[in-house]
């Protein structure tokens, strides 16, 4: 029988999908997503919020920005949202806002 676990307070999904530069949908979030993912993990570690804020790298979330990357988040007591054109500074501010709420 599967074991049940409580959901995190918030779960962030970060696109780091990469496509060929010639793809009609654009090159994807790629390295921008990888950098934002690293920043999010650093912020969560600095806050020692491993159990309450989860960060997961994903493939395409369906909104492919020309700059930055796309993040989707939701959780047990936060309003979910999808953000695009996210850079490292926005990611830091997002984690701090989510942790303070
Ligand atoms: S490639 Fe990142 S949202 Fe589509």
């Amino acid at each position: 029988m599967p074991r049940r676990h409580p959901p995190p307070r918030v779960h962030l999904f970060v696109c780091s999908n990469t496509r060929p530069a010639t793809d009609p949908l654009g090159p994807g979030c790629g390295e921008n997503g990888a950098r934002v993912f690293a920043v999010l993990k650093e912020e969560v570690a600095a806050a020692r919020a491993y159990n309450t804020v989860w960060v997961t790298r994903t493939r395409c979330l369906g909104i492919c920005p020309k700059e930055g990357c796309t993040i989707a988040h939701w959780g047990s007591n936060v309003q979910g949202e999808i953000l695009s054109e996210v850079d490292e500074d926005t990611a830091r501010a997002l984690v701090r806002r989510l942790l303070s709420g």
Side-chain angles (χ1 to χ4, degrees), residues 6 14 22 34 41 43 57 59 71 73 78 81 84 91 93 96:
V14 184
T22 56
K41 295 293 277 188
E43 289 293 319
R57 285 173 79 159
R59 298 288 192 171
I71 291 177
H73 72 83
V78 297
E81 62 185 345
S84 64
R96 292 172 188 170

Side-chain angles (χ1 to χ4, degrees), residues 19-101:
R19 294 192 196 91
T22 56
D23 193 292
L25 293 175
C29 297
E31 287 303 313
N32 294 322
R35 285 192 296 272
V36 165
F37 174 78
V39 164
L40 291 169
K41 295 293 277 188
E42 288 170 11
E43 289 293 319
V44 170
R48 304 188 61 77
Y50 312 103
N51 293 331
T52 56
V53 180
W54 294 0
V55 184
T56 302
R57 285 173 79 159
T58 72
R59 298 288 192 171
C60 182
L61 292 168
I63 300 169
C64 308
K66 291 189 173 23
E67 298 176 12
C69 74
T70 300
I71 291 177
H73 72 83
W74 60 83
S76 57
N77 62 350
V78 297
Q79 176 79 36
E81 62 185 345
I82 300 172
L83 304 168
S84 64
E85 302 181 20
V86 175
D87 62 13
E88 291 95 321
D89 290 340
T90 307
R92 280 188 195 89
L94 175 63
V95 169
R96 292 172 188 170
R97 175 170 59 90
L98 292 170
L99 288 171
S100 69

